Amino acid sequence: MFKHILVPTDGSELSSSTVSRAIEFAKEAGARITFFFAQQEYPIPLYGEGALLVPVTPDQFVDATKKEAERILALARAEAEKAGVASNSDTSVSDLPYEAIIEAAKTHGCDLIFMASHGRKGVAGFLLGSETQKVLTHTTVPVLVYR
């Protein structure tokens, strides 16, 4: 049924668990995987009361986030390779990760997005928002949510 699965990952424990389960799912389905990491943009420093001080330059920030993305994606690809599942990876920079995820699914021709949900409920879920919820709301690609 599904032949190409996008698996967004951020390297968190929940995300790593989702990568493992997505690999099992892809193997059972005979699908390939594109692992995806949405890099944050450089934060805009704020001044005055409640200031946000960024201790690195924009170039240092870009280099660090790119290296982190490469590390996380390499781990996911290695796990897929070990399981015998074909995979590749991609990353992009965006302040809106859900938009980057949806765009990656379109760009790579994925027919399923397999992603984690932190399972926040009530006020916490409403206030913090959910990238998974935003993907579900805005994409036309089917989404499998793993908890």
Side-chain angles (χ1 to χ4, degrees), residues 17-72:
S17 173
T18 302
V19 164
S20 297
R21 184 59 189 114
I23 290 168
E24 292 173 21
F25 182 86
K27 188 169 188 167
E28 292 169 12
R32 63 190 169 108
I33 296 176
T34 294
F35 295 106
F36 180 74
F37 185 96
Q39 297 176 52
Q40 291 182 325
E41 288 188 2
Y42 184 75
I44 298 171
L46 302 173
Y47 301 100
E49 195 170 325
L52 170 66
L53 299 176
V54 182
V56 296
T57 67
D59 288 341
Q60 290 171 323
F61 184 84
V62 168
D63 288 344
T65 56
K66 185 176 179 182
K67 285 177 185 172
E68 183 68 0
E70 290 169 355
R71 182 188 70 77
I72 290 166

Side-chain angles (χ1 to χ4, degrees), residues 4-6 32 34-36 88-92 98-113 139-141:
H4 191 179
I5 303 168
L6 184 79
R32 63 190 169 108
T34 294
F35 295 106
F36 180 74
N88 66 337
S89 61
D90 191 16
T91 184
S92 68
Y98 81 93
E99 286 184 354
I101 292 165
I102 293 168
E103 186 59 34
K106 289 179 189 174
T107 299
H108 293 283
C110 297
D111 52 11
L112 178 70
I113 301 171
T139 190
T140 57
V141 176

